Amino acid sequence: MNAKVDALAGKVAPEDMLVDVPKLLAAYTQLRPDPAEPAQRVSFGTSGHRGSSLDRSFNEWHVLAITQAICDYRRQKGINGALYIGIDTHALSRPAFESALEVLVANEVTVAVSAGDEYTPTPAVSHAILVHNRKRLDGRADGIVVTPSHNPPNDGGFKYNPPNGGPADTDVTGWIQQRANALLESKLSGVKRVSYRQARRSSLVQEHDYLTRYVDDLKNIIDFDVIRQAGVHMAVDPLGGAGVHYWQPIAQRYGIDLTVVSDTVDPTFRFMTVDWDGKIRMDPSSPYAMQRLIGLKDRYDVAFACDTDHDRHGIVSRSHGLMQPNQYLAVMVNYLFRHRPQWNAEAGVGKTVVSSSMIDRVAERLGRRLYEVPVGFKWFADGLFDGSLGFGCEESAGASMLRHDGKVWTTDKDGIVPALLAAEMTARMGKDPGQLFDDLTQALGRPYSSRVDAKANAQQKATLAKLSPAQVQSKELAGEKIEHILDHAPGNNAAIGGIKVMAQNGWFAARPSGTEEIYKIYGESFKSEAHLEEILQEAQRMVDAALSL
């Protein structure tokens, strides 16, 4: 089960690897899922339902059933305001949007679609929901984002954001999932639907200028004056994603020196370099997928990229090249809590259990409360909403933070803001984020971290998700006594869906992916690369032994 780097990793994808878009779109309408097959049922992971039309895991029937379930949920909870909907640039996103609109209008839901059919980043949808709901007790809004995030081009995705603007919690997604699968089993009996043409003509469908409203509000979370005055020379690669047309208006609106490396949109994503496993994946934290921007690092003071729905960031510094997500997250925490004087002095730092312990050390030095939760950004939504968390982050380069005044910005991940923050801190500190990370290591120690992805089938993933501390037989981790074995997060006592094993100078966590046929081992050492490698090897042996029981 050892993961191996594919021979094509880091290279431009060959033509025969590209997805057959017409075939993908035909399968969306022509193939119907069999709800008796577990892999073809509606299943909400950490970020909604995802799959491919080619293997009957993301088809028209899925979207129709999920959307009707969302309408039923809204009705049950008295959510009667507008529903904000956005899509990314994956090929399946447009037909899924059309299917959703047919059901929403048939259910008499007012729908806010993007003006001019513009693509819409996840954070722009969360932002719109929160702005709409501000000081509103009735007529609350919610939203849908049609995206499989950074997943390969043949995938589609569909996620629901309730009125708090963040990813839906498990009680919500569980209800929607159960209802949607019941609708699949009944062959869509109970799904209301009109034609797409009729839906688009309906007065219930209203255009919303997500782009302008989001861009105009950025001044309340990023200090563009300091960026402009310092003359920071920046580049951005949207990776052909939903924010592709947002960056030029940002540069023009705030007068900053920002070059858009490419504004190409192509549903095959043929411009991407291949990820570690031989798949095309728009992951801004992967050195294999980010080859284009890494190659430009010496031309700019700082450069950045976002994934397909722009809820994740990747930072390329002149000093370090592509930064590991954990490194930049620690730098963000250290910078923000020193340069946001209007934030509540009690505002805490949110992180997932698989994020770097460097964040723990930074938070402790700042005297800030640490809120450690399982994987999933939904755990931060309430704290970001009420300001009790100044910052929330997860190891996969996802983060969000408060406005300058300490009020909520988004309760979902925002890749655009952390990218621009890299320019702000470069301007104010006179050092790029890589250099700022080096400064942190001088004071707090240098972490060495990595993640291993290994293939795992559904049964193995289910077994791993239910591992308990008692099933780990080892007493030591890489030569150190094991101090803690967790299956619940310290911050909120919620199940991790895996385990975390901790020693004095290192730790690992293992959990199944919610969206792919892999499990993930996260490891970190504060001693050396060799110690980290030892941790990862022992972790994999422990996990394999537990899975074989």
Side-chain angles (χ1 to χ4, degrees):
M1 291 175 65
N2 290 319
K4 295 182 179 178
V5 176
D6 192 271
L8 287 173
K11 300 176 182 178
V12 175
E15 194 72 23
D16 61 3
M17 179 185 285
L18 302 180
V19 65
D20 184 336
V21 173
K23 181 180 179 181
L24 188 72
L25 297 178
Y28 175 77
T29 54
Q30 294 172 7
L31 300 183
R32 293 180 177 175
D34 179 358
E37 292 289 334
Q40 296 179 30
R41 293 172 66 82
V42 171
S43 178
F44 276 79
T46 53
S47 293
H49 174 77
R50 296 180 186 174
S52 174
S53 62
L54 299 173
D55 58 18
R56 301 176 192 258
S57 56
F58 189 89
N59 303 85
E60 183 180 46
W61 275 33
H62 291 108
V63 176
L64 296 173
I66 295 169
T67 308
Q68 183 62 55
I70 289 171
C71 291
D72 294 345
Y73 175 81
R74 297 179 96 243
R75 196 173 297 113
Q76 182 189 84
K77 296 297 182 180
I79 303 169
N80 54 12
L83 183 141
Y84 290 85
I85 188 167
I87 70 169
D88 76 359
T89 54
H90 277 79
L92 289 173
S93 294
R94 174 61 59 179
F97 162 78
E98 294 178 0
S99 299
L101 201 65
E102 293 170 359
V103 175
L104 291 167
V105 170
N107 281 271
E108 300 183 342
V109 175
T110 299
V111 189
V113 302
S114 185
D117 283 334
E118 181 58 74
Y119 304 112
T120 309
T122 287
V125 174
S126 179
H127 177 270
I129 294 168
L130 292 169
V131 170
H132 176 98
N133 290 342
R134 191 180 295 156
K135 298 180 180 179
R136 186 187 295 266
L137 297 177
D138 191 30
R140 294 178 304 152
D142 53 1
I144 289 171
V145 189
V146 187
T147 175
S149 189
H150 63 292
N151 278 23
N154 61 324
D155 281 10
F158 203 85
K159 62 182 184 179
Y160 174 64
N161 287 38
N164 73 356
D169 205 347
T170 48
D171 59 340
V172 180
T173 57
W175 193 96
I176 292 171
Q177 176 179 301
Q178 183 176 16
R179 173 62 176 149
N181 282 319
L183 290 167
L184 285 183
E185 291 164 359
S186 69
K187 300 187 185 301
L188 300 187
S189 174
V191 173
K192 300 177 182 178
R193 185 183 185 187
V194 299
S195 71
Y196 180 66
R197 177 178 293 184
Q198 184 179 348
R200 284 309 301 237
R201 289 176 175 175
S202 171
S203 61
L204 291 168
V205 177
Q206 302 170 357
E207 286 202 343
H208 180 81
D209 192 349
Y210 290 92
L211 190 157
T212 299
R213 297 188 186 201
Y214 178 89
V215 170
D216 283 352
D217 206 10
L218 281 170
K219 64 181 180 294
N220 293 308
I221 193 167
I222 295 293
D223 188 342
F224 288 102
D225 290 340
V226 72
I227 297 173
R228 185 172 54 253
Q229 290 163 9
V232 179
H233 188 37
M234 298 161 280
V236 61
D237 190 344
L239 301 181
V244 64
H245 300 138
Y246 277 55
W247 293 102
Q248 199 57 48
I250 290 171
Q252 292 172 349
R253 170 74 172 77
Y254 296 105
I256 57 176
D257 181 6
L258 176 62
T259 298
V260 180
V261 170
S262 172
D263 61 1
T264 300
V265 174
D266 181 341
T268 68
F269 294 89
R270 65 178 68 241
F271 48 80
M272 290 296 301
T273 46
V274 178
D275 206 0
W276 68 273
D277 58 353
K279 295 183 179 181
I280 296 174
R281 190 180 283 110
M282 289 61 69
D283 182 355
S285 62
S286 165
Y288 302 105
M290 285 279 281
Q291 283 296 300
R292 178 165 65 184
L293 197 59
I294 292 171
L296 300 175
K297 76 178 182 67
D298 294 329
R299 300 187 192 179
Y300 301 95
D301 297 320
V302 66
F304 29 82
C306 291
D307 69 338
T308 325
D309 68 321
H310 271 49
D311 72 344
R312 300 187 189 198
H313 60 271
I315 306 300
V316 176
S317 67
R318 185 174 288 182
S319 62
H320 275 223
L322 179 65
M323 296 185 68
Q324 292 184 9
N326 277 314
Q327 295 177 350
Y328 183 58
L329 294 173
V331 170
M332 289 176 72
V333 172
N334 190 61
Y335 175 83
L336 284 167
F337 285 90
R338 295 175 186 273
H339 295 92
R340 294 297 187 267
Q342 295 183 61
W343 285 10
N344 186 334
E346 301 300 318
V349 178
K351 58 161 275 193
T352 58
V353 292
V354 295
S355 300
S356 175
S357 290
M358 187 65 154
I359 297 170
D360 305 42
R361 297 184 179 197
V362 172
E364 183 178 8
R365 187 172 70 161
L366 291 167
R368 294 284 179 164
R369 173 179 59 91
L370 186 73
Y371 181 65
E372 189 172 0
V373 298
V375 172
F377 208 78
K378 62 191 176 188
W379 303 110
F380 304 127
D382 289 343
L384 290 167
F385 185 81
D386 65 17
S388 61
L389 289 178
F391 181 78
C393 66
E394 57 184 19
E395 76 300 333
S396 54
S400 191
M401 63 196 208
L402 300 178
R403 296 168 179 264
H404 287 306
D405 65 3
K407 301 291 178 59
V408 63
W409 169 255
T410 62
T411 47
D412 209 331
K413 297 188 293 287
D414 188 331
I416 297 173
V417 166
L420 292 168
L421 187 70
E424 179 190 319
M425 64 176 67
T426 300
R428 176 166 281 118
M429 306 305 293
K431 297 180 179 181
D432 70 32
Q435 294 169 314
L436 294 173
F437 178 71
D438 287 339
D439 290 347
L440 278 182
T441 66
Q442 292 294 317
L444 301 173
R446 178 172 291 276
Y448 301 87
S449 60
S450 186
R451 190 184 91 188
V452 174
D453 293 348
K455 295 189 182 299
N457 59 35
Q459 181 177 348
Q460 291 170 323
K461 288 170 61 177
T463 300
L464 177 56
K466 296 176 182 176
L467 276 187
S468 70
Q471 290 174 269
V472 177
Q473 303 297 315
S474 302
K475 302 299 181 184
E476 290 189 348
L477 176 63
E480 295 186 328
K481 179 184 176 182
I482 292 175
E483 297 179 344
H484 304 285
I485 303 176
L486 306 177
D487 60 356
H488 286 71
N492 60 358
N493 200 37
I496 293 172
I499 56 168
K500 183 174 184 179
V501 177
M502 305 166 68
Q504 183 178 353
N505 290 297
W507 60 269
F508 82 84
R511 58 176 295 274
S513 169
T515 58
E516 299 180 83
E517 291 298 298
I518 59 175
Y519 75 75
K520 304 175 182 182
I521 294 177
Y522 307 80
E524 185 169 54
S525 165
F526 275 83
K527 293 176 71 174
S528 65
E529 287 279 7
H531 187 238
L532 170 63
E533 185 60 31
E534 195 176 349
I535 287 173
L536 291 172
Q537 290 176 359
E538 290 191 15
Q540 194 149 20
R541 285 196 292 270
M542 288 186 207
V543 172
D544 289 348
L547 291 180
S548 66
L549 293 177

